[in-house]
Amino acid sequence: MGDVLYLTLVSSIKEQIEKGELKPGDILDSEATLMEKFSAGRMTVRKGLSLLSSEGYIYSVPGKGNFVCKPQVDIFRFKFNKYDGLNINIDNFRLLSVIIAHPGLEISKILGLQEGDNIIECIRCLYGPNEIPVAVERIFLPYEPGQPVLEDVLKYADYMEPIERQYAFSIEKSLEINIISTNEYINNLLKLKEGNAIVEIKETIMDSNVSGVRQYVIFSVNPRYFTIKAHMILENTIIGKIY
Amino acid sequence: MGDVLYLTLVSSIKEQIEKGELKPGDILDSEATLMEKFSAGRMTVRKGLSLLSSEGYIYSVPGKGNFVCKPQVDIFRFKFNKYDGLNINIDNFRLLSVIIAHPGLEISKILGLQEGDNIIECIRCLYGPNEIPVAVERIFLPYEPGQPVLEDVLKYADYMEPIERQYAFSIEKSLEINIISTNEYINNLLKLKEGNAIVEIKETIMDSNVSGVRQYVIFSVNPRYFTIKAHMILENTIIGKIY
DNA sequence: TAGTGGTCTAGACCACTAG
DNA sequence: TAGTGGTCTAGACCACTAG
């Protein structure tokens, strides 16, 4: 690290910020001063500042200077997908039904459908070891007549991940997680008793190359197998980057 | 955007990636080629590539070239803090007890304590409108004799956020969220019935300027008021940056 | 050996800030 | 007007890759 000039600058400033010698809102030395202090050219100093900026440590105000960011400490990240986001391994799944149907008002709204449009609804049950039912997944997607979607639905049950990864740069996903009371249908499938709580995870998938929501999934999980491990990430209240 | 050369390059390449014309793993034009295509100097091209890299679109392999990233699509981010991470407003809280105690084995391990070390345990109840009990919070921290920590504990009940923000750059927080059965004590405080489910959020706070866990919080929430809204973020399986 | 990315400099011109 | 950061260039030297 000591070899590369701009990295020396980066770790020096980072250390000052982490130790609290430079506090959120404080102004850094000017680029000219940093050039002297580190015997560096301007572009080298700027490369270091750029790194600090992209890592969320500092931001810059043209004409004024570079400042220490005011980060938020309540943003967390976690990994979730249906197959290894739970605290039990999913060994297999069983397709319960695939139908073409009229959407209810809620689903219709979410998928941005016109009146008369149909959807494909696909229900699957996920099982852990020894055939323990873990979760029920209901997938809703717009039905486009003429397109052989059914096959795709059945396929992506297995192969969704590589497909999603290929389109990752245009995909947006949102999750909403709530704890609700079960209904009878889910109760039966998951072998839960009436009145038991259940974790309901609603997932919407959008594709910026196509308008509207591409897919809506309601994922009902036995709370026993639900867990989230999340870690804080640094994010800033002030927008501003140096490049 | 069209004014700044490197931003033109950035949006051009970003568009190709988002439309799928450039796929994960694909190699970009070489820097020399991009210089020609955009009539730009090398440092300008590199500034653009640097931005694309820091935004998670591309990575570079010295001697070979720049490549489109292979992102993960199952990393989500959400905001959580005790006071507005729930689907109900916390109007006030009541301190139930503050004691200095011998830690149990679990707490002792988490806080990295020696035998004989004591902890401060602080129990609070959080209320929504009309005095609805929403959550019980148990805070465990190492007790350092001679330091007037009790005051701090009582203070940070109110003022934790600004303090945390000040030290944000050295703080690390982790959450673990599970659904469990309530115990009698929590049941009584939250007015839940026996056998009801409860959301248990365990939070550990570390400070890189101090060794070990600084604080451990167990947050027991009435599932009714628990909700998480999370959004996918782009992260890469390949580590590599351009600066 | 030719090509590729990584580091670094000196210098130019610009817009914005603040006294 | 002096200082600050933003954009951009031309050029130098380096290590790594791959034929």
Side-chain angles (χ1 to χ4, degrees), chain B residues 62-79:
Chain B
K64 288 183 143 183
N66 292 289
F67 300 84
V68 179
C69 281
K70 299 172 180 170
Q72 285 189 267
V73 292
D74 51 9
I75 309 287
F76 293 83
R77 67 193 275 296
F78 69 101
K79 185 176 173 169

Side-chain angles (χ1 to χ4, degrees), chain B residues 2-3 8 10 17 29 35 42 60 65 81 87 92 99 103 106 125 128 130 150 153 201 205 207 210-212 228 240:
Chain B
D3 260 349
T8 311
V10 165
I17 293 176
D29 287 330
M35 284 165 74
R42 183 150 177 241
S60 80
N81 66 57
N87 61 11
N92 71 321
I99 56 167
E106 192 203 344
C125 192
N130 302 317
L150 284 178
V153 172
I201 303 172
I205 304 179
D207 184 333
V210 181
S211 74
I228 285 183

Side-chain angles (χ1 to χ4, degrees), chain B residues 217-235:
Chain B
V217 182
I218 302 178
F219 198 61
S220 304
V221 189
N222 184 330
R224 198 175 158 162
Y225 306 117
F226 172 82
T227 194
I228 285 183
K229 290 180 186 184
H231 204 83
M232 189 185 99
I233 49 178
L234 270 191
E235 295 223 355

Side-chain angles (χ1 to χ4, degrees), chain B:
Chain B
M1 288 288 160
D3 260 349
V4 179
L5 230 183
Y6 78 82
L7 289 178
T8 311
L9 176 144
V10 165
S11 45
S12 161
I13 293 177
K14 221 184 253 191
E15 199 187 319
Q16 290 175 66
I17 293 176
E18 275 162 7
K19 283 192 175 162
E21 291 160 24
L22 280 170
K23 290 190 172 54
D26 282 1
I27 191 167
L28 301 195
D29 287 330
S30 76
E31 295 181 356
T33 308
L34 291 172
M35 284 165 74
E36 276 181 39
K37 280 199 181 172
F38 290 90
S39 315
R42 183 150 177 241
M43 289 314 269
T44 303
V45 166
R46 284 181 62 74
K47 205 166 291 180
L49 296 176
S50 162
L51 220 189
L52 288 165
S53 168
S54 75
E55 288 184 358
Y57 284 84
I58 66 170
Y59 66 98
S60 80
V61 180
K64 288 183 143 183
N66 292 289
F67 300 84
V68 179
C69 281
K70 299 172 180 170
Q72 285 189 267
V73 292
D74 51 9
I75 309 287
F76 293 83
R77 67 193 275 296
F78 69 101
K79 185 176 173 169
F80 177 80
N81 66 57
K82 293 130 193 168
Y83 307 106
D84 56 44
L86 308 168
N87 61 11
I88 188 172
N89 286 328
I90 300 300
D91 280 7
N92 71 321
F93 62 85
R94 204 167 297 144
L95 193 60
L96 302 181
S97 75
V98 181
I99 56 167
I100 296 171
H102 283 298
L105 209 67
E106 192 203 344
I107 303 291
S108 181
K109 210 172 172 182
I110 289 165
L111 293 179
L113 299 179
Q114 311 279 325
E115 221 185 300
D117 287 349
N118 282 327
I119 56 162
I120 296 174
E121 180 178 350
C122 168
I123 305 183
R124 300 193 294 145
C125 192
L126 283 72
Y127 299 89
N130 302 317
E131 294 288 304
I132 303 170
V134 173
V136 176
E137 184 183 31
R138 281 170 291 165
I139 304 163
F140 305 90
L141 38 169
Y143 171 62
E144 283 147 41
Q147 289 200 13
V149 246
L150 284 178
E151 260 177 79
D152 278 359
V153 172
L154 296 174
K155 251 203 299 187
Y156 92 60
D158 260 313
Y159 305 121
M160 194 58 196
E161 208 215 305
I163 294 172
E164 283 183 339
R165 201 170 276 191
Q166 171 134 349
Y167 293 106
F169 290 105
S170 62
I171 275 181
E172 278 188 35
K173 286 188 189 179
S174 296
L175 294 182
E176 181 174 335
I177 304 174
N178 287 291
I179 319 293
I180 59 165
S181 291
T182 54
N183 61 49
E184 216 185 308
Y185 179 68
I186 303 287
N187 273 347
N188 285 339
L189 287 172
L190 298 185
K191 295 178 183 165
L192 291 170
K193 286 172 198 157
E194 204 194 312
N196 274 178
I198 202 159
V199 179
E200 189 180 76
I201 303 172
K202 293 175 185 163
E203 182 184 45
T204 55
I205 304 179
M206 323 249 302
D207 184 333
S208 65
N209 289 327
V210 181
S211 74
V213 172
R214 275 299 274 290
Q215 188 177 312
Y216 180 58
V217 182
I218 302 178
F219 198 61
S220 304
V221 189
N222 184 330
R224 198 175 158 162
Y225 306 117
F226 172 82
T227 194
I228 285 183
K229 290 180 186 184
H231 204 83
M232 189 185 99
I233 49 178
L234 270 191
E235 295 223 355
N236 304 306
T237 35
I238 294 168
I239 296 146
K241 296 244 173 198
I242 306 169
Y243 299 113

Side-chain angles (χ1 to χ4, degrees), chain A residues 134-136 177-183 186-187 190 192 195-201 219-224 226, chain B residues 179 197 223:
Chain A
V134 173
V136 176
I177 303 174
N178 287 291
I179 319 292
I180 59 167
S181 290
T182 53
N183 62 48
I186 303 287
N187 272 347
L190 298 186
L192 291 170
N196 275 177
I198 201 160
V199 180
E200 190 180 75
I201 303 172
F219 198 62
S220 305
V221 189
N222 184 331
R224 200 177 154 159
F226 172 81
Chain B
I179 319 293

